[in-house]
Amino acid sequence: MELTLSEANSITASAIAQAKAIGVKVAVAVCGRDGRLVAFSKMDGAGHMTFRPAIGKAIASSISGQSSEVDPGDAATPGSQTVLGEGMAAFHAPGGLALIRDGALIGAIGVHGDATPDQDVACATAGVVELRRLPAALKAHST
């Protein structure tokens, strides 16, 4: 059960729409369950260094299967340690959420920007909600 590019782009777009609605500038990263990046967007005007924490929060959530504040230690999801070994860093702060489909972890979203931690979480939550809304046809086809 893989996260498709179409899904990742829709999730990213929803997070950015939420950021616009609440008046903040953010970067949004979506990765697969192995922690590898699938989609990324940084809003015009978002800080220069917003991308690293956004990616790191997505990685942290893909590793734990939970929100990015959780550090699972040795209980990390299978295969997720590879991305850390490749030099990608997990960022354990609010703004990353696991993406779950049919009870299985398929990836994660990470949001970081010129916003409060609660605003980062609100934007990430919009992405999670979008995954639940996506039609079955979009879930079945990768682009």
Side-chain angles (χ1 to χ4, degrees):
M1 198 175 330
E2 295 291 322
L3 178 69
T4 68
L5 177 59
S6 293
E7 289 173 317
N9 284 335
S10 292
I11 291 164
T12 301
S14 290
I16 288 174
Q18 178 64 21
K20 288 178 182 176
I22 62 176
V24 296
K25 306 284 187 184
V26 299
V28 181
V30 176
C31 66
R33 70 174 168 255
D34 61 359
R36 289 191 170 91
L37 195 62
V38 177
F40 176 82
S41 291
K42 182 171 100 43
M43 295 174 68
D44 294 339
H48 297 301
M49 294 306 291
T50 56
F51 73 98
R52 287 185 191 270
I55 295 169
K57 290 176 185 184
I59 290 169
S61 288
S62 73
I63 289 169
S64 69
Q66 300 176 50
S67 63
S68 52
E69 308 92 282
V70 175
D71 184 350
D74 292 337
T77 60
S80 63
Q81 293 296 331
T82 302
V83 75
L84 295 177
E86 293 171 344
M88 298 301 293
F91 192 72
H92 296 287
L97 298 172
L99 298 170
I100 308 291
R101 180 170 46 227
D102 300 328
L105 178 68
I106 62 166
I109 180 173
V111 178
H112 187 79
D114 305 323
T116 68
D118 287 343
Q119 290 170 321
D120 286 346
V121 171
C123 295
T125 300
V128 171
V129 169
E130 177 63 14
L131 177 65
R132 294 180 191 143
R133 281 193 279 227
L134 290 172
L138 185 58
K139 293 176 185 175
H141 296 92
S142 177
T143 56

